[in-house]
Amino acid sequence: FFSITLLRETPVDAYPEFMPPLVEIQIESLGLSAAEMEALMTVTLEGGIINETPWLKEIRSESMPGLASIVLEFKPGIDIMDARLVTEERLQQAQATPNVSQPPQLLQPLSATGRVMKVGLTSDEISLIDMSLLARWTIQPRLMGVDGVANVAMWGQRERQLQVLVDPQQLRDNGISLDQIIATTGNAMWVSPLSYLNASTPGAGGWIETPNQRLGIRHVLPIQEPGQLGKVIVEGTTLRLEQVADVVEDHQPLIGDAIFEDGPGLLLVIEKFPWANTLDVAQGIEDAIAAMQPGMVGIDFDTEIYSAASFIETATGNLGLALLLGLALLLVVLFVFLGDWRSGLISIVVIPISLTAAAFVFYLRGASVDMILFAGLVVALGILVDDAVIDVDNVKRRLHQQQGADKSKTRIVFEALTEMRSAVFVAILICVLAVAPVFFLEGLSGAFFQPLAASYVLAVAVSMAVALTLTPALSMLLFRGETPAQGESAIARSLRGIYDAVFAGAVDKPRMALIAAVVVIVVGVAAFLFLPRPSLYPTFTEQDVVLPWESTPGTSYIEMSRIAHDVGDELRTIPGVRTVVCHIGRAITGDQVVGINAAQFWVSLDRTADYRATMDRIEAVAAGHSEFVHGVLTYPEQQIMAAQALTDDENLVVRLYGHDMATLRTKAEEVRQALAGIDGIAEAEVDYPAEEPKVEVKVNLEAAKAHAAKPGDIRRDAGTLMSGLVVGNHFEEGKVFEVMVWGAPEVRQTVDDIGNLLIDTPGSGLVPLKELADVRLVNTPVSVKREAGSRYLDVKVRVEGRNRSAVAADAKSRIQTVSFPLEHHAEVRGGAAGGQGGLLLVVLAALIAMFFLLQVTFGSWRLATGILVTWPVALTGGVLVAFAVGGLSLGALLGLLAVFALAARQGILLVKHYQHLGQHEGLAFGAELVRRGTRERLGAILLTTLATAVLVLPMVFFGNRAGLEIVHPMAVVILGGLVTSTVYTLFVVPALYVQYGAGDTPEPVPAPETAPANET
């Protein structure tokens, strides 16, 4: 009860934290190209970080129009907050970036599946600018204050700006320069970021001293709206701003947007810290929104677009119900099969306590409970059941066998409980060795499967601890009185009769039994080899799916908005689809490093709809746009794919590093040709970066000289007219607004408009840009990617018909023949064969350790070999079931592990019982000893098998619903495997002992001469 009470406070999630320790820096600079972002921002910051940050494993960056993202991956095991701290220290020491961007933002650490909720804001009464104002200064800060919230990114944000829109022709007609407009607008405000303006130093009001009081002086800005700014006189003239320019209130150019059914709105994407409890965070967000709503009249909040908590609540409910039903069935089976209430009570108390105790240890460690960890506990259920059953069975049998003996019941109970402890300990060691290789996995596989293996090992260890403490206490307490009746139920007698009729004869013809075992092994291995190999990473039946959309590079916001409406309407017509929301491009501090040509459709399904049929229809829509849509995924699947991309070691790639992209392209083609003749390489192709058209402006120095113009001044004037220039900041009621000078829309629509921009020159006045510079369309990379402080280009290799590591070795030799200029080189990356070789060595070492444990336990090399070699018989049923229901999966593999653990354990205990009978009861070696020993252990073996079956039966019956995506196939495989594992224990193990156990002469274990001092 204590454990269950505390476990309610344990963080619950669907997935473990599978991302490596990552720290991301983002630099925003609206209007700069990808090449400019790389040169001015990325390289500047990388130079101060890459060579000085401790624990750094790898640094990657991507520069795209308006954004530079630098991602630092730290070595495994480094605390993310320590990594963030050292990064922040280096960031402060890095060389300052040019004054053309926002300050670098060090993003908060995020969970692997960081998006915990999406909140949509729409309104029929409030404009998007006013709603963005409320979201930016009220809603977003309130949500950031919720415990566990790491970031709130806003798609569709439209920042309020006072804009002075100028037409150079109108300025020329009035004899006014662009610099006069900039100076007038900036100096009209209290504060300007332009250091050459007087407004860069606002000054203070001060105070005056009167004879009896001090009076402070406060200046109130009279400019609150465009009309007031328009009345300001242009410096050096008598004209007002509104006479020479349009002064309006509008918003900044959009880098992203959110599209709802009725049009654009705001989409708040809320992300959590890695250690935060998803359910608590979701509840805190909902409470915060409920508290704010009374003051947000006219704004509709939609919190059902996406919520990670919804799936977790549904999944934990389904898992809890399946487990409770399994425990109820287990209770019935134990009481019916054991035949007395004492035995049933001990077993039904011990099993749940072992489970909750194991989970409680995770609580003490501060670990989150997720579906992977829970799956590890389910794998251990068979061992938990067997631990509870074998002790009770031994106690009952000893009490009946020694009725009337000159021993106290306490002593008999004590001897019964200690009889098999050494064998049980060896069996547990073998079960632990079976999962030991998992702890040597690295990267994404290690992040997923190590928590699973840890929960399994912990559950096994806790079960043994309970068997050594609680089970003896309950047995001595409940069996001290009247000896329980023999109580063999009708079911037990029927099963014993089946054994006598079917299996008992195997000991008389052990060779035939072993030949049959070999046949079964061959069938099982053949089925295993033909099993399909889907991804072993878990996927859950979530009601929210994502359609990543990527249009042609250079696609406009207008076109992407049209696509979002059209495809959204198409998806909404699908029966079972509840809502469709699309976000385009990216958001400030968002988790998407993409351009305006990328989008994501978030489709929420009705919980009452046919999940598979609805998904098929969504996939049909995606197939109709296959050139744009890259699959139909859940959000966690998308994150797993991103993690795989970080740790991809299966695909063979030759990566060329260098600073000059033209040289990289030339050398990449040489490398491709050099690889073409290697045996096993089916195809090698250069992965050229995607390109998009850009308008390139290059100043003609001779033309500029003729007009006495400098290149920097030409760029700044053109940049102001095309991209805008923030000349001041307006502070109002705790909010900050930008004041911008920008070209009027009609002068910046087409490529010709750029060439016709009038640039103010000292020598000739206003001159068209095309007379000062070459203006042309060119193709440029969409983004510039860097790694280890250098640009790179990949040559991707497809391997067929040969070991990947051998191909990689030949590729390394072949690229040595390609010469590279200074600061350029190539590396062969990937090829999982090398890593698998190390893992295979660990697996081999585990098998050898198992073999020696068996030999030490049995005292026979031949018997240890026979047990080890025939273990696959126990797994054959599970393999055949997996083959029948669709293939190999994570759940199916875990089911096979559970069956193996149970079969290994029961086989070892059965052999040790044979040896006990020969050693302590003087029975001669032979078939009769084996038959008697098997009959005595038959009840415990069959009860464990039956109890394990009924425990997982509800997981089979519920199907592949939310929360059971792993344990359902696991339970199916366990049911199939229990059949062959029982046959293995009752048929193969006795035959092996008869055939190879004759030379076993283990040292006798002296029984205690006196009962324990404290019999209570």
Side-chain angles (χ1 to χ4, degrees):
F1 177 79
F2 177 72
S3 298
I4 293 173
T5 302
L6 288 179
L7 286 173
R8 296 175 63 182
E9 303 174 8
T10 303
V12 179
D13 215 327
Y15 291 83
E17 290 299 327
F18 53 81
M19 283 289 189
L22 299 177
V23 175
E24 183 176 1
I25 303 166
Q26 288 188 1
I27 310 102
E28 292 278 352
S29 186
L30 192 64
L32 290 185
S33 67
E36 289 172 319
M37 289 299 301
E38 181 201 26
L40 299 177
M41 307 297 165
T42 307
V43 174
T44 301
L45 289 179
E46 281 184 350
I49 295 175
I50 184 171
N51 296 322
E52 300 179 8
T53 304
W55 312 317
L56 186 63
K57 178 183 177 183
E58 198 166 343
I59 182 170
R60 294 177 290 271
S61 67
E62 183 172 4
S63 304
M64 57 187 307
L67 175 68
S69 171
I70 302 174
V71 177
L72 287 78
E73 180 181 344
F74 288 82
K75 295 176 181 178
I78 300 300
D79 183 84
I80 186 63
M81 296 308 293
D82 290 340
R84 191 175 186 276
L85 179 61
V86 297
T87 304
E88 187 172 16
E89 291 174 351
R90 298 308 186 276
L91 191 61
Q92 292 174 355
Q93 299 169 9
Q95 182 179 348
T97 56
N99 187 22
V100 71
S101 70
Q102 300 294 327
Q105 295 290 316
L106 185 63
L107 302 191
Q108 294 285 356
L110 300 177
S111 173
T113 50
R115 293 189 175 188
V116 67
M117 185 177 286
K118 291 176 181 287
V119 179
L121 305 180
T122 55
S123 177
D124 295 330
E125 306 172 14
I126 302 176
S127 70
L128 284 171
I129 292 179
D130 289 338
M131 193 161 59
S132 296
L133 183 66
L134 287 170
R136 170 66 181 85
W137 297 101
T138 304
I139 299 173
Q140 192 178 42
R142 176 67 181 86
L143 295 177
M144 284 292 294
V146 174
D147 287 343
V149 170
N151 185 42
V152 179
M154 191 186 313
W155 265 264
Q157 182 179 7
R158 289 160 170 82
E159 292 278 9
R160 179 189 173 194
Q161 291 181 337
L162 293 179
Q163 298 178 353
V164 178
L165 305 177
V166 299
D167 182 342
Q169 184 62 50
Q170 188 179 5
L171 295 183
R172 180 167 65 176
D173 294 343
N174 287 279
I176 296 173
S177 69
L178 181 60
D179 286 342
Q180 286 178 281
I181 299 296
I182 292 173
T184 300
T185 307
N187 287 325
M189 312 309 296
W190 283 172
V191 180
S192 172
L194 304 179
S195 58
Y196 60 87
L197 297 183
N198 292 332
S200 63
T201 307
W207 63 80
I208 60 173
E209 297 281 358
T210 68
N212 57 2
Q213 69 180 137
R214 173 180 289 185
L215 297 174
I217 300 172
R218 175 195 172 201
H219 293 270
V220 179
L221 185 68
I223 298 173
Q224 304 292 329
E225 57 185 29
Q228 295 167 330
L229 178 60
K231 291 181 172 55
V232 175
I233 301 299
V234 178
E235 292 184 2
T237 73
T238 59
L239 298 173
R240 299 188 302 273
L241 270 177
E242 62 187 7
Q243 291 179 297
V244 296
D246 294 329
V247 184
V248 300
E249 180 180 286
D250 208 334
H251 61 80
Q252 85 287 0
L254 295 179
I255 59 174
D257 204 358
I259 306 297
F260 297 84
E261 183 174 1
D262 299 325
L266 300 182
L267 182 65
L268 306 182
V269 176
I270 306 168
E271 300 168 292
K272 72 181 185 73
F273 288 111
W275 54 82
N277 186 334
T278 301
L279 298 179
D280 289 346
V281 173
Q283 187 60 52
I285 293 169
E286 291 179 355
D287 292 343
I289 291 174
M292 288 188 289
Q293 272 188 308
M296 301 287 172
V297 179
I299 298 180
D300 296 324
F301 289 79
D302 185 357
T303 60
E304 297 184 357
I305 296 172
Y306 171 76
S307 176
S310 297
F311 171 77
I312 293 174
E313 289 169 349
T314 303
T316 52
N318 290 336
L319 276 172
L321 180 58
L323 191 57
L324 283 176
L325 287 177
L327 289 173
L329 291 174
L330 175 65
L331 177 66
V332 173
V333 167
L334 288 175
F335 278 100
V336 170
F337 200 101
L338 290 172
D340 73 279
W341 67 270
R342 292 180 180 86
S343 305
L345 181 61
I346 294 172
S347 299
I348 204 62
V349 167
V350 166
I351 294 170
I353 286 179
S354 297
L355 275 175
T356 54
F360 179 62
V361 174
F362 279 100
Y363 168 81
L364 294 177
R365 293 176 55 207
S368 297
V369 175
D370 53 66
M371 303 305 171
I372 305 297
L373 187 147
F374 185 85
L377 296 178
V378 174
V379 173
L381 278 178
I383 295 178
L384 269 61
V385 170
D386 198 44
D387 262 334
V389 168
I390 60 171
D391 286 334
V392 175
D393 178 75
N394 251 11
V395 168
K396 284 187 63 178
R397 189 175 67 252
R398 282 298 194 92
L399 286 173
H400 285 287
Q401 287 175 348
Q402 300 190 30
Q403 271 185 315
D406 188 18
K407 288 183 182 179
S408 68
K409 289 182 179 177
T410 301
R411 180 176 177 181
I412 296 173
V413 170
F414 179 78
E415 291 177 357
L417 292 171
T418 56
E419 173 189 329
M420 307 297 284
R421 281 303 108 194
S422 62
V424 169
F425 183 69
V426 170
I428 287 177
L429 286 179
I430 286 177
C431 293
V432 171
L433 285 170
V435 298
V438 173
F439 294 102
F440 291 86
L441 291 173
E442 298 178 352
L444 184 61
S445 300
F448 264 106
F449 302 136
Q450 285 175 3
L452 187 151
S455 67
Y456 169 76
V457 171
L458 182 61
V460 170
V462 169
S463 177
M464 184 172 184
V466 171
L468 290 172
T469 55
L470 182 61
T471 304
L474 289 174
S475 299
M476 291 182 179
L477 178 66
L478 295 177
F479 291 141
R480 281 179 60 84
E482 179 185 356
T483 301
Q486 181 65 36
E488 187 174 58
S489 64
I491 295 177
R493 286 195 298 271
S494 299
L495 293 174
R496 191 181 298 277
I498 293 173
Y499 167 75
D500 290 335
V502 177
F503 297 105
V507 297
D508 295 322
K509 298 179 180 180
R511 292 181 182 274
M512 295 299 296
L514 296 181
I515 291 172
V518 171
V519 173
V520 172
I521 291 173
V522 171
V523 172
V525 171
F528 184 83
L529 293 176
F530 283 99
L531 279 173
R533 299 294 196 275
S535 172
L536 296 181
Y537 299 113
T539 57
F540 296 119
T541 313
E542 298 206 30
Q543 299 294 324
D544 303 282
V545 296
V546 186
L547 279 73
W549 182 288
E550 187 172 354
S551 189
T552 305
T555 302
S556 68
Y557 161 73
I558 296 173
E559 176 63 11
M560 289 300 296
S561 181
R562 183 195 66 79
I563 291 171
H565 282 97
D566 292 348
V567 176
D569 291 341
E570 188 176 354
L571 291 168
R572 291 184 190 98
T573 62
I574 297 175
V577 170
R578 184 170 55 84
T579 60
V580 178
V581 174
C582 176
H583 60 69
I584 302 170
R586 57 187 177 85
I588 302 294
T589 69
D591 58 355
Q592 298 293 300
V593 182
V594 295
I596 199 68
N597 65 304
Q600 286 185 356
F601 292 90
W602 287 74
V603 183
S604 181
L605 310 185
D606 195 315
R607 298 192 181 281
T608 61
D610 185 327
Y611 183 83
R612 190 63 261 166
T614 306
M615 286 293 292
D616 288 342
R617 295 187 182 100
I618 294 173
E619 288 169 355
V621 171
H625 303 278
S626 58
E627 70 275 26
F628 302 115
V629 179
H630 302 286
V632 179
L633 310 166
T634 64
Y635 170 61
E637 287 176 330
Q638 189 179 46
Q639 293 301 96
I640 290 173
M641 290 177 63
Q644 283 179 302
L646 291 177
T647 59
D648 184 12
D649 62 349
E650 293 186 2
N651 297 316
L652 195 62
V653 173
V654 179
R655 180 159 292 179
L656 286 76
Y657 295 91
H659 299 291
D660 183 64
M661 185 55 69
T663 302
L664 288 177
R665 287 172 176 266
T666 301
K667 292 301 176 181
E669 182 60 30
E670 291 182 26
V671 169
R672 186 193 67 80
Q673 294 176 1
L675 296 175
I678 295 177
D679 181 29
I681 293 183
E683 183 181 11
E685 60 178 356
V686 182
D687 184 23
Y688 292 110
E691 295 185 336
E692 63 180 352
K694 292 283 185 184
V695 179
E696 184 180 84
V697 179
K698 185 176 182 180
V699 174
N700 185 318
L701 290 178
E702 291 300 322
K705 178 181 177 182
H707 297 283
K710 296 183 285 295
D713 291 336
I714 295 172
R715 173 196 167 92
R716 282 183 283 275
D717 280 4
T720 299
L721 293 171
M722 293 303 302
S723 182
L725 177 67
V726 177
V727 300
N729 297 107
H730 172 47
F731 296 81
E732 178 184 318
E733 297 178 355
K735 306 175 182 65
V736 184
F737 310 108
E738 293 179 338
V739 181
M740 175 176 281
V741 174
W742 199 2
E746 57 269 19
V747 304
R748 47 183 170 86
Q749 297 293 325
T750 66
V751 177
D752 290 339
D753 289 340
I754 299 174
N756 293 327
L757 282 177
L758 297 177
I759 306 299
D760 197 0
T761 64
S764 307
L766 293 175
V767 177
L769 179 61
K770 61 186 177 183
E771 295 183 12
L772 300 169
D774 296 327
V775 181
R776 57 177 185 152
L777 276 175
V778 297
N779 286 328
T780 61
V782 175
S783 65
V784 180
K785 296 182 179 181
R786 298 167 62 86
E787 186 177 272
S790 175
R791 290 180 175 183
Y792 67 87
L793 193 61
D794 286 342
V795 180
K796 294 185 175 180
V797 178
R798 181 164 60 87
V799 179
E800 288 183 359
R802 192 178 175 209
N803 182 276
R804 191 174 282 111
S805 61
V807 175
D810 287 351
K812 289 179 182 179
S813 300
R814 192 66 62 88
I815 63 174
Q816 299 298 323
T817 63
V818 180
S819 62
F820 290 93
L822 185 66
E823 295 188 320
H824 292 71
H825 71 284
E827 293 180 3
V828 178
R829 301 167 61 97
Q836 287 179 350
L839 184 61
L840 288 175
L841 288 177
V842 176
V843 172
L844 181 61
L847 288 173
I848 293 173
M850 290 181 191
F851 174 71
F852 281 110
L853 277 173
L854 292 174
Q855 195 281 329
V856 170
T857 304
F858 300 150
S860 169
W861 294 100
R862 294 193 303 165
L863 185 58
T865 304
I867 293 291
L868 185 69
V869 170
T870 56
W871 269 337
V873 173
L875 305 179
T876 302
V879 171
L880 293 177
V881 168
F883 185 84
V885 298
L888 200 60
S889 65
L890 174 61
L893 280 178
L894 295 179
L896 293 176
L897 172 61
V899 171
F900 165 78
L902 189 58
R905 181 185 175 92
Q906 290 184 335
I908 292 170
L909 292 178
L910 186 57
V911 171
K912 288 300 292 181
H913 187 59
Y914 295 152
Q915 293 180 338
H916 174 81
L917 291 178
Q919 183 181 5
H920 293 282
E921 299 193 17
L923 295 181
F925 175 82
E928 189 55 39
L929 178 148
V930 173
R931 269 192 286 268
R932 175 181 164 180
T934 306
R935 288 194 186 96
E936 289 183 355
R937 287 280 301 144
L938 180 65
I941 293 170
L942 296 179
L943 180 55
T944 296
T945 301
L946 186 59
T948 304
V950 298
L951 260 177
V952 301
L953 190 60
M955 301 174 190
V956 177
F957 177 75
F958 281 5
N960 200 32
R961 63 175 65 182
L964 302 177
E965 295 89 346
I966 298 177
V967 297
H968 169 68
M970 181 198 309
V972 172
V973 169
I974 287 174
L975 285 183
L978 286 176
V979 175
T980 48
S981 71
T982 304
V983 172
Y984 168 77
T985 305
L986 300 179
F987 185 78
V988 178
V989 173
L992 283 171
Y993 191 75
V994 171
Q995 186 70 25
Y996 302 118
D1000 295 352
T1001 56
E1003 290 295 326
V1005 179
E1009 297 182 359
T1010 59
N1014 184 1
E1015 294 188 352
T1016 61

